[in-house]
Amino acid sequence: MLEQMGIAAKAASYKLALLSSREKNRVLEKIADYLEAQADEILLANEQDLLEARRNGLSEAMLDRLALNPARLTAIANDVRQVCKLADPVGQVIDGGLLDSGLRIERRRVPLGVIGVIYEARPNVTVDVASLCLKTGNAAILRGGKETWRTNAATVKVIQQALEECGLPAGAVQAIESPDRALVNEMLRMDKYIDMLIPRGGAGLHKLCREQSTIPVITGGIGVCHIVVDASAEIDPALKIIVNAKTQRPSTCNTVETLLVHQGIAQQFLPALSKQMAESGVTLHADAQAMALLQNGPAKVEAVKAEQYDDEFLSLDLNVKIVAGLDDAIDHIRQHGTQHSDAILTRTLRNADRFINEVDSSAVYVNASTRFTDGGQFGLGAEVAVSTQKLHARGPMGLEALTTYKWIGFGDDTIRA
């Protein structure tokens, strides 16, 4: 089955690579219209997925990721329309010039070919990936989680209908509907057909892909994000940022999970933090020093477990640790961070500069929430993933990250001396 999907996707990618921006936008506009026109079928499939997920004991955070409603589906359709408005990177000349040999050379952006994406309970990913891939002339093979197979199947059916009505092969966007996990292992070895693989899920999925895939893998999306509260931080603005970073949408990968508080401000800051976290419904997980300053406050607090420094809560829970200074904070981030998003709250320029230069994450912030690590917030439009590695893309991956380039040489009967 996967062999035939690979053949179809590769064949479709050759046709997609030749489309003009206008032709690609026409397909995307039709997909957006069909998502709204056939919303009832997609939402019915999603209801069935939700019912089964609840029976299987899926967590509230995962159920939130899985759930669609008319407003969310309209927002997804509008995201596709926004992709239409984005500049098409394909065909863009990156650089070039005339060489001493007389050869005129340029580097031009081209599609990658076929993108494979493995993801869990996020039905919006199906549309995000499909729209970004089509905009950049790439075919896509999608393998969503077993929790979303009905929703994904209904969504891909709509996308394929739009493709065919625009004279393009349905194989340009395909979904593996079977929940059989053996198909994931088979997909990881489809290097004959898939040019790049993007896992979007938990640490176990990323580990599996890194270890087993024969296809280049873009890893990311695991966000053990930190905020450092420097001794010079102002308490009220700091609390506002922390509330946003923790509570705006706790189930996302750019949500803060650990707060590192400078010992010079801890005595004043932590009682104020406790009051604010109690109002926000956040449970604190504190080290021994922080516990002494938090245990009489209104927020629920318990002793932090060592392993919690390395995991995503994806819920209204927050680690709190007192650090001796910026060196201590940076060492903690290097040991426990995932190179996703980390922030410092400070009024000291020197410490801000040190944090920027010494914290090796895909996004670092000074006096701002970690929740900004997002393709839309960065002006990239919809994102296909957030990469925490360094090749070939890093941070939110928009359209350019789904292209590669080729060298083109123009001669006048030119030969090498």
Side-chain angles (χ1 to χ4, degrees):
M1 178 185 77
L2 292 193
E3 178 88 8
Q4 292 305 310
M5 291 180 72
I7 292 170
K10 183 61 77 173
S13 73
Y14 298 139
K15 294 187 177 181
L16 294 175
L18 301 177
L19 296 179
S20 67
S21 295
R22 183 176 180 180
E23 290 170 317
K24 289 185 281 191
N25 287 341
R26 179 171 172 258
V27 178
L28 294 174
E29 287 164 0
K30 194 172 284 289
I31 289 172
D33 291 343
Y34 282 5
L35 285 171
E36 292 178 327
Q38 301 183 37
D40 289 346
E41 291 88 339
I42 296 171
L43 293 174
L44 178 61
N46 187 249
E47 284 178 16
Q48 294 171 334
D49 282 337
L50 281 169
L51 283 171
E52 185 170 336
R54 286 194 180 93
R55 284 199 299 267
N56 293 334
L58 208 66
S59 70
E60 285 302 316
M62 292 295 284
L63 287 170
D64 178 60
R65 291 186 178 195
L66 170 58
L68 285 179
N69 55 42
R72 282 190 178 183
L73 194 54
T74 297
I76 290 170
N78 287 333
D79 285 342
V80 178
R81 295 186 178 104
Q82 288 300 315
V83 173
C84 293
K85 298 176 183 178
L86 298 174
D88 185 352
V90 175
Q92 174 191 352
V93 176
I94 302 170
D95 52 31
L98 184 65
L99 304 179
D100 292 342
S101 63
L103 189 70
R104 182 167 60 85
I105 198 163
E106 66 181 36
R107 220 162 31 116
R108 188 182 297 178
R109 289 199 183 279
V110 296
L112 281 162
V114 179
I115 311 296
V117 184
I118 304 173
Y119 54 104
E120 295 177 347
R122 283 184 180 270
N124 63 295
V125 174
T126 303
V127 181
D128 287 348
V129 170
S131 59
L132 287 170
C133 285
L134 291 172
K135 179 75 175 191
T136 48
N138 293 294
I141 296 178
L142 312 174
R143 202 283 184 178
K146 65 181 184 298
E147 303 88 359
T148 59
W149 75 268
R150 296 178 186 87
T151 308
N152 293 340
T155 304
V156 169
K157 182 180 177 181
V158 169
I159 293 169
Q160 290 181 337
Q161 182 183 347
L163 284 163
E164 290 179 327
E165 290 197 12
C166 291
L168 295 171
V173 178
Q174 301 174 79
I176 301 170
E177 296 177 12
S178 170
D180 186 354
R181 292 184 66 86
L183 293 176
V184 172
N185 291 325
E186 187 178 341
M187 183 181 180
L188 296 181
R189 290 169 172 77
M190 290 177 65
D191 54 280
K192 184 177 178 181
Y193 305 108
I194 298 176
D195 297 286
M196 185 172 76
L197 186 70
I198 303 173
R200 291 186 56 161
L205 173 61
H206 286 260
K207 184 173 185 289
L208 174 70
C209 292
R210 283 195 304 270
E211 293 177 353
Q212 302 296 325
S213 177
T214 59
I215 306 163
V217 177
I218 297 289
T219 56
I222 308 300
V224 181
C225 303
H226 301 78
I227 291 180
V228 177
V229 183
D230 189 33
S232 64
E234 295 180 19
I235 292 177
D236 287 344
L239 290 174
K240 183 178 179 181
I241 290 170
I242 293 162
V243 168
N244 178 263
K246 181 71 261 184
T247 70
Q248 198 222 16
R249 196 170 179 192
S251 63
T252 59
C253 61
N254 54 20
T255 294
V256 64
E257 304 291 15
T258 296
L259 203 60
L260 302 171
V261 181
H262 192 292
Q263 62 183 6
I265 197 176
Q267 194 162 1
Q268 296 77 36
F269 181 77
L270 290 183
L273 175 74
S274 180
K275 181 175 183 296
Q276 185 63 68
M277 293 299 100
E279 292 174 4
S280 301
V282 176
T283 298
L284 301 176
H285 303 262
D287 75 342
Q289 280 186 284
M291 179 69 80
L293 297 172
L294 289 168
Q295 59 188 358
N296 295 323
K300 181 180 177 182
V301 60
E302 54 192 55
V304 67
K305 299 174 183 175
E307 62 269 19
Q308 290 175 323
Y309 288 130
D310 299 305
D311 293 333
E312 293 177 296
F313 282 115
L314 303 177
S315 59
L316 290 174
D317 293 85
L318 179 66
N319 297 322
V320 183
K321 180 182 180 181
I322 293 178
V323 291
L326 191 54
D327 287 337
D328 194 10
I330 291 171
D331 285 345
H332 180 96
I333 293 171
R334 288 174 177 172
Q335 183 177 352
H336 300 284
T338 54
Q339 297 185 306
H340 193 295
S341 303
D342 297 292
I344 185 170
L345 311 183
T346 183
R347 291 294 184 258
T348 304
L349 183 59
R350 180 177 177 273
N351 285 350
D353 286 341
R354 277 198 62 201
F355 190 84
I356 291 168
N357 292 328
E358 296 182 36
V359 173
D360 187 20
S361 296
S362 63
V364 292
Y365 297 93
V366 176
N367 299 325
S369 170
T370 56
R371 285 283 290 127
F372 282 102
T373 308
D374 172 86
Q377 294 294 317
F378 279 16
L380 304 176
E383 69 185 31
V384 69
V386 175
S387 169
T388 54
Q389 63 185 47
K390 299 179 181 180
L391 295 175
H392 77 288
R394 199 174 196 202
M397 294 175 60
L399 295 176
E400 283 192 3
L402 295 180
T403 66
T404 182
Y405 56 82
K406 64 171 62 171
W407 291 96
I408 302 169
F410 296 94
D412 185 12
D413 301 326
T414 306
I415 60 172
R416 179 173 175 173

